[in-house]
Amino acid sequence: MQNIKAKFAFCYGKFVSLHGVFALIRMKIVYVIEQLSEVGGMERILVDKMNWLCRQSQTEVALILLWRDNNPMAYDLDGNIVVVRLNVPRVRGGLLFPLVVLRYNRAVKALHPDVTVFSWVAGALLATFGVKRGKTIYESHSDSRVLKHHWLQTTLQYRVDAVVALTPEDAASFTSVGNVIVIPNFTSLQPDVRIDYSKKHCIAMGRLVAEKDYLRMIALWTRISQTYPDWVLDIYGEGSERPKIEQYIMRFHLESQVLLHGFTQDIVEAYGSGSIFLMTSRTEGFPLVLVEAATCGLPIVAFDCPCGPRNILEVSNGFLIPYEDEDAYVSAVQQLMSDITLRQKMGEDSQRDIARFSQESVMQQWINLFSRLIDE
């Protein structure tokens, strides 16, 4: 632990305001994440936040990883971020969680942060039962039902200094104790491609897991492709559901129309390879892929699942479909397929409407929160 203390020595962090106002704050921030080898929106946005704080505000940032994981990190961390691995084997049922708490307590005492940011279920448990050093924040990256137990959700809110929800709907699901605020995610994409709206390709992107419901998307595609057999659905991502999805594609004889491309490092190129973006998720916290697709200029068709799409989609840049209305979903996709002018208009509107989720705007909200908590 002495090495941790040496690496994470105190310094002054300088926050740069968007309006040219500078505020000097004594700031050390620790993020607590289960693991970082999986490819996903939550992992990517957390890395982007840590890198921004390290590079733009000169804040000292440390990352505590809970589970033992020999795989490389999926996203590149700034070299100045201190990484502390607790190396606890991940066992079903949480049998080794007391060991997580013990090792976490030692690490956070050595780091002695001003603010600690937790996420996901293990983070909620640590924020509730772990030792507290400085101010604490729980960052909800899914709707609050991921916590599963009402007692945990309630106790967590009284234990931490702030709960940050990504959407107003998720914020409303937490019992109000006056410390729940909304800060959305951002995209750091700076696309340098122009969408060719004549392309007959629909794009879907995200982890191949049950909550994204790609099986439903493929079933809907069987109906869509009856009218538009010359269109192709390109799916980017990896995950545990891939074998089921492959079987589903073969079951409906869609091998030439639904293509699984796996994980891609160049997501801008992937978005730019199509002219429509599709989502059929059962649940979302804040679907970053919708922000990215809109930033790249794609019109969007998504189900109105809890709880993120309705906070991103505007009437002008896509179709938000009632979750149970599959006929409306098919109709919306086919309407876009039939009208290149509509695709272009909605895509260009997407780029304009999505500016409210810029990196600078969102990170300024985080800076304001950190400052207020430390001042208190």
Side-chain angles (χ1 to χ4, degrees), residues 21 23 40 63 69 73 99 136 140 188 205 244 277 302 309 326 346 373:
V21 179
L63 168 64
D69 190 353
M73 293 187 186
L99 181 58
T136 53
S140 177
S188 57
M205 188 175 297
K244 287 184 180 180
F277 187 84
E326 296 188 347
M346 281 191 164
L373 291 179

Side-chain angles (χ1 to χ4, degrees), residues 10-22:
F10 176 83
C11 78
Y12 283 92
K14 183 165 63 176
F15 283 158
V16 183
S17 168
L18 296 179
H19 305 291
V21 179
F22 296 84

Side-chain angles (χ1 to χ4, degrees), residues 201 232-236 249 254-261:
H201 285 255
V232 174
L233 172 60
D234 295 298
I235 300 176
Y236 293 87
I249 291 171
L254 294 172
E255 291 89 341
S256 63
Q257 289 184 294
V258 179
L259 307 179
L260 300 182
H261 295 275

Side-chain angles (χ1 to χ4, degrees), residues 22-40:
F22 296 84
L24 287 172
I25 298 178
R26 297 165 57 153
M27 180 71 70
K28 295 187 287 186
I29 301 176
V30 170
Y31 280 82
V32 179
I33 304 174
E34 295 188 15
Q35 60 188 39
L36 203 53
S37 62
E38 292 187 359
V39 175

Side-chain angles (χ1 to χ4, degrees), residues 178-295:
N179 65 346
V180 183
I181 65 173
V182 176
I183 302 179
N185 280 339
F186 62 80
T187 176
S188 57
L189 283 187
Q190 296 179 338
D192 55 359
V193 298
R194 290 183 61 85
I195 297 296
D196 179 358
Y197 293 100
S198 67
K199 289 182 177 179
K200 296 183 177 182
H201 285 255
C202 290
I203 304 298
M205 188 175 297
R207 290 177 296 124
L208 306 185
V209 293
E211 67 198 55
K212 305 298 181 182
D213 212 351
Y214 285 110
L215 299 184
R216 188 184 194 191
M217 183 182 292
I218 294 167
L220 292 173
W221 190 262
T222 63
R223 298 173 57 186
I224 294 167
S225 63
Q226 289 177 5
T227 306
Y228 295 93
D230 53 341
W231 278 72
V232 174
L233 172 60
D234 295 298
I235 300 176
Y236 293 87
E238 284 293 352
S240 59
E241 288 274 298
R242 179 165 186 142
K244 287 184 180 180
I245 294 170
E246 290 174 336
Q247 292 174 6
Y248 227 59
I249 291 171
M250 290 187 289
R251 172 183 170 185
F252 291 109
H253 308 291
L254 294 172
E255 291 89 341
S256 63
Q257 289 184 294
V258 179
L259 307 179
L260 300 182
H261 295 275
F263 170 69
T264 177
Q265 289 282 2
D266 194 342
I267 59 175
V268 172
E269 181 181 6
Y271 288 122
S273 66
S275 61
I276 302 171
F277 187 84
L278 304 183
M279 174 180 278
T280 53
S281 295
R282 298 172 181 173
T283 180
E284 288 283 349
F286 185 92
L288 190 60
V289 290
L290 293 188
V291 178
E292 293 172 344
T295 299

